[in-house]
Amino acid sequence: MKYQIFGEKKVSNLPWQDRPEGCMDVVWRYKNNPIINRDIIACSNSVFNSAAVSFGDGFAGVFRVDNKARNMELHAGFSKDGIHWDIDENRIEFETDIEEMKEFIYGYDPRVTFIEDRYYLTWCNGYNSQPTIGIAWTYDFRTFHQLENAFLPFNRNGVLFPRKINGNFAMLSRPSDNGHTPFGDIFYSESPDMTFWGKHRLVMEAEKGWQSTKIGAGSVPIETSEGWLLFYHGVLTSCNGFVYSFSAALLDRDEPWKPVYRAKDYLISPQMQYECVGDVPNVTFPCASIVDAETGRIAIYYGCADTCTGLCFTTTDDVIDFLKSNSSL
Ligand code: BMA
């Protein structure tokens, strides 16, 4: 490997397919996408924008399940190979001592980050029916302990860094409004205790083309010698509505609010039928990436058309080289 990876473990059973012959893309799709269909469990209308991590000798995840009542819920799941998933029919019931957190209104777009000794779940949590960032932790993906919301409404796309930075927990998020926000930049915040968040910093603003309307952090940043590798989504407003693509950036390792490289081009945009057709057409929305520290192979999990879940692949070396030759900074 050309570039070093820090803090990640070897995942020898990472889902993987080599880049197809003749393919010139930096990120390529799994041939049998989608890996999770909308009807994988009896109650689901759709299963998308979901998080997966390596867990024990297999994988675990938290899935966005919009159910047939069209409530947005979070369900846990397990997999041996990261491709075939066993998703709990029942939604996660969070445990908490905090009276004000006891009512679950809705939850969507989960991310899971392993920090120190446990898995932290962040998601877009309905509080007073307004979106903000919920936080919970788990050891086993069976019992989840909910903490305070990180921020005031309105906020979305909360993604934790996998280690403390400058002695504090660190999170990316995207302040927003109550609707289908027509703006949005990525911000950085720190917390000494996962409860009180401050030291807010702007990281990146919406820019041009595929990322001209708004942007939001996607998967948990991967620490490399060249910076924190972040996959993030960007939205373009077409005459037919929003188009969600995604690409990557590298953020400074000690001061992650400072981007070092940022892609001019998207890596994946909605082009396949399952990305273009569904409950919300033209959406590719990454929420997780699992990296194998030994090879630098990355499997990215992304929501497709707010309906099903897809998988795509790349390597740390490929994305970093792409960023170095394709940066808009
Ligand atoms: C965003 C979020 C995502 C969704 C996207 C497209 O605002 O709600 O969950 O995938 O819109 O509908």
Side-chain angles (χ1 to χ4, degrees), residues 279-317:
D279 284 358
V280 181
N282 305 320
V283 181
T284 53
F285 196 97
C287 285
S289 55
I290 307 179
V291 63
D292 170 26
E294 198 162 77
T295 57
R297 290 175 170 181
I298 304 175
I300 304 169
Y301 292 80
Y302 68 106
C304 306
D306 283 16
T307 300
C308 56
T309 304
L311 189 58
C312 55
F313 306 109
T314 186
T315 70
T316 43
D317 285 354

Side-chain angles (χ1 to χ4, degrees), residues 39-44 65 75-76 86-92:
D39 59 353
I40 186 168
I41 51 176
C43 70
S44 59
V65 174
H75 291 230
D86 187 10
I87 298 178
D88 198 332
E89 271 293 343
N90 300 306
R91 73 172 165 99
I92 296 171

Side-chain angles (χ1 to χ4, degrees), residues 48-49 64 108-109 156 180 214 244 280 283 285 306:
F48 56 109
N49 302 3
R64 170 172 174 174
Y108 60 87
D109 299 358
R156 292 188 174 95
H180 301 290
K214 53 180 170 176
Y244 282 72
V280 181
V283 181
F285 196 97
D306 283 16

Side-chain angles (χ1 to χ4, degrees), residues 169-180:
F169 294 108
M171 194 187 323
L172 299 171
S173 74
R174 216 278 306 284
S176 56
D177 68 14
N178 204 18
H180 301 290

Side-chain angles (χ1 to χ4, degrees), residues 81-98:
D81 59 7
I83 292 173
H84 301 92
W85 287 88
D86 187 10
I87 298 178
D88 198 332
E89 271 293 343
N90 300 306
R91 73 172 165 99
I92 296 171
E93 298 284 351
F94 291 96
E95 297 193 348
T96 184
D97 300 330
I98 306 165

Side-chain angles (χ1 to χ4, degrees), residues 7 34 41 51 53 59 68-69 88 106 122 133 150 195 225-227 244 248 252 293:
I41 51 176
V53 289
F59 300 86
K68 287 174 178 161
D88 198 332
Y106 60 75
T122 51
I133 307 302
T195 297
S225 49
E226 312 306 292
Y244 282 72
D252 185 86

